[in-house]
Amino acid sequence: MVGHFLKTGKIGAVVVGADRIAANGDTANKIGTYQMAVLAHENSVPFYVAAPISTLDLSIPSGESIPIEERPPEEVTHIRGIQIAPEVEAANPAFDVTPARLITAIITERGVASPPYRDSLARLFSESSLKKASPPARERPAPAR
């Protein structure tokens, strides 16, 4: 359905979240996000990631290094304990990785990162660290009456 709406021009932009963002801007999110990014790219629709700065992990160089949770295969081969698929091995990843080249921009509470992400994400992360390290602003004393 997403492809249909993107192809027919009924969607002007796609905004998704993220569970982890690598230093190069590759982004891990719930399974299916990568497919939406590919469809958006194919149809020239901007694809944005909106996530808190806490999802950024500069120690992870790229999406290839983001660990992907594998859920139990029974979640796709069984319903309420009843087997609905033949005895086969089933893969059930909880996340997929969207390459940075498909992402128009990454939006955080500290600002917007644009390509090249290695530079812009590092800048947002360092600004975030500085703000966390600074002491809180003092409140003004109440005026004397």
Side-chain angles (χ1 to χ4, degrees), residues 33-59:
T33 304
Y34 169 64
Q35 292 90 324
M36 284 192 287
V38 170
L39 288 166
H41 180 76
E42 175 66 22
N43 291 283
S44 302
V45 175
F47 185 87
Y48 299 100
V49 172
I53 200 76
S54 61
T55 60
L56 177 59
D57 189 339
L58 296 179
S59 72

Side-chain angles (χ1 to χ4, degrees), residues 45-134:
V45 175
F47 185 87
Y48 299 100
V49 172
I53 200 76
S54 61
T55 60
L56 177 59
D57 189 339
L58 296 179
S59 72
I60 298 176
S62 72
E64 293 175 14
S65 299
I66 297 174
I68 301 299
E69 176 188 355
E70 275 287 332
R71 303 286 301 158
E74 293 78 22
E75 289 183 2
V76 293
T77 60
H78 292 68
I79 294 178
R80 295 185 182 187
I82 299 171
Q83 187 171 341
I84 60 168
E87 287 292 329
V88 295
E89 289 195 26
N92 189 13
F95 305 93
D96 57 24
V97 175
T98 301
R101 66 182 175 76
L102 299 177
I103 300 170
T104 306
I106 298 172
I107 305 160
T108 76
E109 74 276 18
R110 299 289 184 207
V112 177
S114 301
Y117 290 112
R118 212 169 279 286
D119 299 334
S120 60
L121 288 172
R123 178 182 46 78
L124 287 178
F125 189 78
S126 66
E127 288 174 4
S128 173
S129 297
L130 290 174
K131 289 180 181 174
K132 285 181 185 174
S134 61

Side-chain angles (χ1 to χ4, degrees), residues 1-57:
M1 185 181 325
V2 171
H4 168 76
F5 288 117
L6 287 166
K7 184 177 180 183
T8 58
K10 298 192 186 233
I11 296 176
V14 176
V15 180
V16 299
D19 288 278
R20 184 73 55 88
I21 301 172
N24 73 338
D26 291 349
T27 304
N29 196 41
K30 305 302 179 268
I31 196 78
T33 304
Y34 169 64
Q35 292 90 324
M36 284 192 287
V38 170
L39 288 166
H41 180 76
E42 175 66 22
N43 291 283
S44 302
V45 175
F47 185 87
Y48 299 100
V49 172
I53 200 76
S54 61
T55 60
L56 177 59
D57 189 339

